[in-house]
Amino acid sequence: MICPFCKKMIDDDSLYCDQCGKELKFCPVCQKPHRGTECQVCGEDLIDGKEYFSRLNGGDEDSDTTAGGQGYLIGDGMKLELKAGPFGRTSGIYPEFSSCIFVSGRHGEFARSAQGWTVMDYGSTNGTYLNGERLKPNVPYPLKQGDTLNVSRLRFTIQL
């Protein structure tokens, strides 16, 4: 899809623009992101990305790209609820990462399944490390209680 702010191409499941970092608002009727509070095409009120993707998935919490719960990232002065979806400095589920210049714009992704939580690195410049080992790009790694996760220079302990 095209970001309504910077007009650059971004992933179809983005909550934030991968390029300019702006939060995306969607028209539930036209199913496109727009600027402002109303759709410029049909006049419908815009909704935030979490609600939009939840509606697209029929309200199914587990298939929602922003589904969270039952876990936290704790460290570097933050306690973040684990959420399924992409993360990075300029996009994704943790706007808190935007202040760390060492986190790539599109750094990695968390996912949740019946087997539990996983983390995957997208081939980021400064890497993602699980218990001191750098993750291979585009390979999901399971997370366990007490694991140490480094997203570049940000260090977290996994609490499940």
Side-chain angles (χ1 to χ4, degrees):
M1 74 180 141
I2 304 291
C3 172
F5 299 97
C6 69
K7 307 295 184 207
K8 304 265 173 111
M9 185 66 115
I10 56 175
D11 290 340
D12 287 339
D13 62 351
S14 296
L15 299 177
Y16 297 85
C17 175
D18 302 337
Q19 305 299 316
C20 69
K22 300 261 189 193
E23 182 179 10
L24 301 174
K25 302 284 186 178
F26 294 85
C27 174
V29 176
C30 300
Q31 299 186 340
K32 294 188 190 280
H34 296 283
R35 296 174 94 155
T37 58
E38 292 181 352
C39 177
Q40 299 151 357
V41 176
C42 69
E44 186 76 21
D45 286 341
L46 300 180
I47 57 176
D48 68 33
K50 288 181 182 182
E51 184 176 344
Y52 172 73
F53 288 113
S54 178
R55 288 183 187 185
L56 267 181
N57 292 313
D60 181 1
E61 186 88 11
D62 286 334
S63 63
D64 181 357
T65 60
T66 62
Q70 302 177 354
Y72 293 93
L73 300 171
I74 300 173
D76 274 335
M78 296 181 253
K79 181 176 181 179
L80 305 172
E81 183 179 5
L82 270 173
K83 298 177 185 177
F87 61 87
R89 186 182 70 253
T90 60
S91 66
I93 54 178
Y94 297 118
E96 296 86 350
F97 290 0
S98 67
S99 61
C100 183
I101 62 171
F102 299 103
V103 174
S104 293
R106 289 183 34 81
H107 198 96
E109 177 179 327
F110 289 105
R112 182 175 67 179
S113 70
Q115 289 74 39
W117 285 99
T118 61
V119 63
M120 180 170 60
D121 185 271
Y122 287 159
S124 63
T125 303
N126 293 310
T128 304
Y129 296 80
L130 185 58
N131 299 320
E133 298 291 322
R134 187 170 184 154
L135 303 185
K136 293 178 184 172
N138 304 307
V139 176
Y141 288 80
L143 295 173
K144 299 184 301 294
Q145 171 68 24
D147 279 348
T148 300
L149 181 72
N150 287 60
V151 176
S152 179
R153 294 187 178 183
L154 300 175
R155 183 179 174 94
F156 299 98
T157 299
I158 303 298
Q159 182 182 39
L160 299 174

